[in-house]
Amino acid sequence: MVSVRFNLMRLPATDSISSRPNLFDFAALLCMLGLAVAVGSIARHTLAPLGAPDAAVIHLDPAYLPGYAVRTTLRMFAALLASLLFTFTYAVWAAKSRRAGLLLVPVLDILQSIPILGFLTFTVVFFMSLFPGRVLGAELAVIFTIFTSQAWNMAFSMYQSLKTVPPDLEEVSRGFGLSSWQRFWRLEVPYAMPGLVWNTMMSMSGGWFMVVFSETVSVGNTSVVLPGIGSYIGAAVEARNIGAVGEAILAMLAVILLYDQLLFRPLVAWSARFRFETTQGAVASDPWMLALLRRTRLLNRASRLFGDMLTSVGGLPLGKRPTAPRRDLMPRRVGDGLWLGLLLVVVAVAGYEVVAYVRASLSWHEVARVLLLGIYTLIRVVAMILLASLVWVPAGVWLGLRPVWARRAQPVVQFMAAFPANLFYPVFVVAIVHWHLSSNIWLTPLMILGTQWYILFNVIAGAAAFPGDMLEAARNFQIRGWRWWIRVILPGIFPYYVTGALTASGGAWNAAIAAEVASWGKTTLVADGLGSYIAQATTAGQPARVALGMVAMAGFVICFNRLVWRPLYEFASRRLTFA
């Protein structure tokens, strides 16, 4: 059974002489000191008043880009920490409690389907009121907006992993008498770790898209611009300075390469320890950062002590230990019936309020039109998910089964996923106008430009976690070609693919608002769909139509998830787990 030790170094015990600091310790401590100084400097700026000099001035001089990059990166990592906290609470609760899952999973579907920019309308006012007149309020609003672009796929990844833990491992943990707390840290978290690491990388890449929009905060007639790469790109686009846009993209690439080398490569190498297998699978050599950390002495010893402490906490007998089944005072079906009845009452009351609002503000003909437009967008989403699957599932399997190539492609894929998709929109507009193409067809690929990578990252994670002994057995039985795909690898990666396709489809619905209305200069192209309906209603200042479009979009996403993705989750948990 897999279990987790929180020591990244994995070095044997050393004596007191070898624990003395060496040159590598001093270099590492110098880097940590520099990071602390940078964080302290940024924290000092957050306490400044909004009207301070240069607080909202973006300079297009490339000399300012390193400082802007540091501020943007710290915001993204703050949002990532919040996303991890959300994942280890919300997703775990939804997976562990059947009754809570009946409510929490649909709510997660709704949160994923709500356009991210819509959060700004409510959260900016809230956070700015917490710290009136201070930069900190605007910083928290930006961090929360980035959080909404990172949290959902990480939560879905954890939920999928907890629902597909192999039953024989669960049985072994019960046989050892592990409490629920011990089973979570020693079995379920290690099993979920490979997929969670890859989805964390995807979340960091997805956060770059929101950085472009979120670092310019609008509150009524007041706009607050926070220094960062996103606001730099926005200022460069407004000034039509193509050179400055290119410089910002190069800075973004440098930041991605830096945190890939320093953080994600060591994490991917560490997560490979938790593959579910009994024979040695394909492995790659340790990344240079992890090898360098292992050569330190003082930090290595501190890491070992910290890891031992966390391991002991994970082994505490908290929670209930498995006991013999007993008869409940209230049968489970009765409790489930009461809980479902309560949920139905809440849904009925909400539905009544929505119907009353629509009847007072809009006609039923408008509702029917919105539903038809939602069907158009649904067709586009399904078509794009199928097309992206045909391309990225084979590519993800190839990379996931070859750790060396996966490591080489890792920064490239992260950069492609982080590249602001809206910079491609003018190219599509010019091409459609030049060749007189149909907007309803050729604007559709814009929906999947930024979300297709969810499929690729999750398939890579699934293939990387595929047991090596299963691959060895397939080779021994000479299973090749289509039989290998259908009988071996596709069933093995299917739970991961469902997670990637689910989050990609939710992101495609979200992106429809921008993709179904694309413009360049004075030329604007519109495709018939729910996204263009919401975008046009927002521009026209029609809150009733915006609300109707948002409710319809959430309804389509929930129904599609209930009818397609959730049954596939259940099928994967019943039939496609390693046991």
Side-chain angles (χ1 to χ4, degrees):
M1 181 177 63
V2 289
S3 62
V4 60
R5 297 264 313 172
F6 295 89
N7 187 0
L8 294 182
M9 306 298 183
R10 294 183 295 167
L11 285 183
T14 55
D15 54 26
S16 59
I17 297 178
S18 61
S19 297
R20 294 175 181 174
N22 58 11
L23 182 61
F24 297 101
D25 282 299
F26 288 114
L29 289 174
L30 183 62
C31 293
M32 294 172 63
L33 181 61
L35 178 62
V37 170
V39 173
S41 176
I42 299 301
R44 178 174 55 85
H45 286 298
T46 61
L47 300 177
L50 288 173
D54 290 338
V57 177
I58 302 300
H59 303 275
L60 294 183
D61 186 345
Y64 287 88
L65 269 175
Y68 291 165
V70 171
R71 299 191 67 164
T72 294
T73 304
L74 290 179
R75 292 183 191 113
M76 294 183 67
F77 274 100
L80 190 67
L81 290 176
S83 300
L84 286 172
L85 180 62
F86 177 83
T87 298
F88 276 86
T89 52
Y90 190 100
V92 173
W93 189 19
K96 291 290 187 178
S97 173
R98 291 185 309 106
R99 296 172 185 172
L102 294 175
L103 176 63
L104 297 180
V105 175
V107 168
L108 193 59
D109 292 334
I110 294 174
L111 292 173
Q112 181 190 213
S113 65
I114 295 176
I116 295 175
L117 296 178
F119 285 105
L120 284 172
T121 306
F122 308 100
T123 58
V124 168
V125 177
F126 172 75
F127 286 111
M128 295 289 286
S129 62
L130 290 180
F131 303 94
R134 297 290 176 180
V135 176
L136 182 57
E139 291 280 0
L140 292 177
V142 171
I143 290 172
F144 181 82
T145 306
I146 299 173
F147 162 84
T148 60
S149 67
Q150 295 179 341
W152 317 139
N153 65 301
M154 295 171 62
F156 276 121
S157 175
M158 176 64 79
Y159 177 84
Q160 168 257 315
S161 297
L162 295 181
K163 298 294 284 187
T164 57
V165 174
D168 52 351
L169 295 184
E170 293 275 7
E171 187 64 28
V172 169
S173 67
R174 293 189 182 93
F176 281 117
L178 299 183
S179 66
S180 57
W181 173 264
Q182 292 171 324
R183 187 164 62 250
F184 176 72
W185 288 109
R186 292 181 178 273
L187 169 62
E188 294 166 344
V189 169
Y191 184 79
M193 198 53 62
L196 184 59
V197 168
W198 280 94
N199 274 279
T200 301
M201 284 193 291
M202 181 63 220
S203 292
M204 282 294 291
S205 298
W208 283 102
F209 178 80
M210 283 313 304
V211 163
V212 178
F213 298 96
S214 61
E215 288 184 344
T216 300
V217 182
S218 297
V219 185
N221 296 324
T222 304
S223 294
V224 179
V225 180
L226 297 178
I229 291 182
S231 56
Y232 185 95
I233 291 177
V237 171
E238 185 177 355
R240 297 185 178 183
N241 190 333
I242 303 300
V245 172
E247 292 164 355
I249 292 175
L250 289 177
M252 183 177 69
L253 175 61
V255 171
I256 292 173
L257 290 174
L258 191 61
Y259 67 63
D260 174 72
Q261 294 287 329
L262 298 181
L263 178 64
F264 285 122
R265 289 205 176 199
L267 281 178
V268 169
W270 173 71
S271 66
R273 302 173 57 195
F274 306 119
R275 292 176 60 179
F276 177 63
E277 59 186 2
T278 56
T279 61
Q280 181 67 40
V283 295
S285 59
D286 288 333
W288 67 270
M289 185 63 187
L290 190 57
L292 185 63
L293 289 175
R294 288 176 178 168
R295 299 187 66 177
T296 64
R297 295 175 180 172
L298 182 62
L299 289 181
N300 188 284
R301 185 176 180 84
S303 171
R304 186 183 303 112
L305 293 175
F306 183 67
D308 291 341
M309 180 187 68
L310 292 181
T311 302
S312 62
V313 171
L316 292 176
L318 303 177
K320 296 182 179 179
R321 291 187 179 275
T323 56
R326 58 184 180 85
R327 297 178 61 88
D328 295 329
L329 296 178
M330 177 180 293
R332 174 179 293 186
R333 292 184 179 179
V334 175
D336 290 346
L338 294 175
W339 178 247
L340 286 175
L342 177 61
L343 293 181
L344 289 176
V345 169
V346 173
V347 171
V349 171
Y352 175 80
E353 294 294 334
V354 171
V355 171
Y357 178 77
V358 170
R359 291 181 62 183
S361 306
L362 302 169
S363 64
W364 289 109
H365 178 270
E366 187 75 11
V367 175
R369 175 170 171 262
V370 168
L371 293 179
L372 180 61
L373 294 176
I375 293 175
Y376 292 159
T377 302
L378 174 63
I379 294 173
R380 292 192 181 97
V381 170
V382 173
M384 288 298 98
I385 293 300
L386 291 176
L387 181 61
S389 300
L390 290 176
V391 174
W392 296 121
V393 168
V397 169
W398 193 89
L399 289 173
L401 296 181
R402 294 165 177 81
V404 175
W405 280 99
R407 183 172 297 172
R408 293 172 182 172
Q410 189 173 309
V412 177
V413 175
Q414 287 187 74
F415 177 72
M416 293 171 66
F419 192 88
N422 55 320
L423 296 182
F424 288 110
Y425 290 6
V427 178
F428 276 78
V429 172
V430 171
I432 291 172
V433 172
H434 179 74
W435 281 293
H436 305 286
L437 304 175
S438 172
S439 301
N440 288 323
I441 296 176
W442 294 101
L443 285 180
T444 303
L446 297 178
M447 299 172 59
I448 201 68
L449 284 179
T451 61
Q452 59 186 328
W453 311 110
Y454 290 108
I455 297 176
L456 177 61
F457 273 73
N458 279 277
V459 171
I460 292 176
F466 195 86
D469 49 357
M470 299 286 286
L471 295 173
E472 185 67 27
R475 283 192 292 267
N476 291 337
F477 284 110
Q478 298 183 353
I479 301 177
R480 302 186 182 92
W482 285 107
R483 289 188 62 196
W484 182 83
W485 282 94
I486 296 174
R487 297 286 186 179
V488 180
I489 196 65
L490 289 182
I493 67 169
F494 188 75
Y496 295 87
Y497 167 76
V498 172
T499 299
L502 187 152
T503 50
S505 63
W509 279 97
N510 204 319
I513 295 178
E516 291 181 347
V517 179
S519 61
W520 175 245
K522 297 181 179 180
T523 303
T524 300
L525 301 179
V526 179
D528 295 329
L530 191 54
S532 61
Y533 178 87
I534 296 175
Q536 291 174 325
T538 302
T539 303
Q542 299 171 330
R545 285 182 168 80
V546 173
L548 176 62
M550 301 282 282
V551 171
M553 182 175 287
F556 271 100
V557 172
I558 291 176
C559 290
F560 193 77
N561 288 352
R562 292 286 103 185
L563 296 176
V564 178
W565 299 125
R566 294 305 159 197
L568 291 179
Y569 260 131
E570 296 297 329
F571 174 76
S573 63
R574 292 195 315 267
R575 301 291 301 275
L576 301 178
T577 57
F578 297 111

